[in-house]
Amino acid sequence: MTIFIAIYITVIGLLFGSFFNVVGLRVPVGESVVHPPSRCGSCGTRLGAKDMIPVLSYMFSRGTCRHCGVGFSPVYPLFEAVTGLLFLWMYLRFGLTGAAVLGIVLASLCVIVTVADLKYMRIPNKVLLFFAPILIALRFAFMDAAWWHYVLGGIFGGGLILLVVLLSKGGMGMGDVKLFALCGLILGIGPAILAFMLACAFGTVVGVMLIVFKIVQRKQPVPFGPWLALGTLIAYLYGTQIIGGYLSLIG
Ligand SMILES: [Zn+2]
């Protein structure tokens, strides 16, 4: 039975991932997510149902338009696959529980934010405002610590990034502040601190690599939202174990 639920949740994730690409690419520039239907960016041919099967369509068409042969970005199937895997991961980690539902909604926010921030260097308010009430309601419905852990996490998350924004004058923006206030609230104070440390570590390592390999200029701003999203998901999935392991090492 578990295997059928796992496959089912993965397929749902792949389909949602396809939609999250659209949301992440259209909402920041004020476009509707339902209209117009997806088209080839080069020849304008409307994509049919068989062009929009997550991951598979891309593989069978070798990532090109069936009409004009122009290449599609591998970012689409990549984020479809990532969403499917994240949905599956939440189920494997938490089973059929409230924590898995909350994790799946949190992963959805993280995927959309990553797509939008990588493409436009912007985390759209509309997306945050859509997810905030759902995430907060689920969090307080399925608490596994006292309520103030989560409130503190939210204050820490938003406050810390706000401090970075004020001190650094650039790099991070108010979108990151709002995003991490929300993520901190969902994680609770301990995992929120871990998520921030992970985000800084990933951001620094990858940032240095991008400069060393001359993919970006030294002064060029790099979006930080994707690292906050990645740190948040790791902390949500394994925060308790990582923090517990660390405390037992120093204790
Ligand atoms: Zn085309």
Side-chain angles (χ1 to χ4, degrees), residues 16-28:
F16 269 98
S18 180
F19 179 62
F20 294 163
N21 274 318
V22 174
V23 174
L25 294 174
R26 290 190 182 185
V27 167

Side-chain angles (χ1 to χ4, degrees), residues 64-134:
T64 58
C65 173
R66 284 189 296 118
H67 300 273
C68 69
V70 75
F72 290 139
S73 167
V75 165
Y76 296 99
L78 175 71
F79 278 100
E80 287 164 359
V82 164
T83 311
L85 285 176
L86 283 172
F87 278 35
L88 174 65
W89 208 330
M90 291 296 169
Y91 167 64
L92 293 179
R93 171 79 180 82
F94 297 112
L96 288 175
T97 61
V101 175
L102 176 59
I104 282 172
V105 180
L106 185 65
S108 303
L109 169 70
C110 288
V111 168
I112 295 173
V113 159
T114 300
V115 171
D117 207 16
L118 286 176
K119 174 85 179 170
Y120 303 107
M121 294 279 291
R122 198 188 305 166
I123 298 171
N125 270 328
K126 266 190 192 163
V127 170
L128 293 172
L129 284 172
F130 176 84
F131 277 96
I134 304 173

Side-chain angles (χ1 to χ4, degrees), residues 182-206:
L182 181 56
C183 290
L185 183 83
I186 302 310
L187 290 172
I189 182 68
I193 295 171
L194 173 68
F196 180 74
M197 288 163 55
L198 290 172
C200 291
F202 295 136
T204 308
V205 170
V206 175

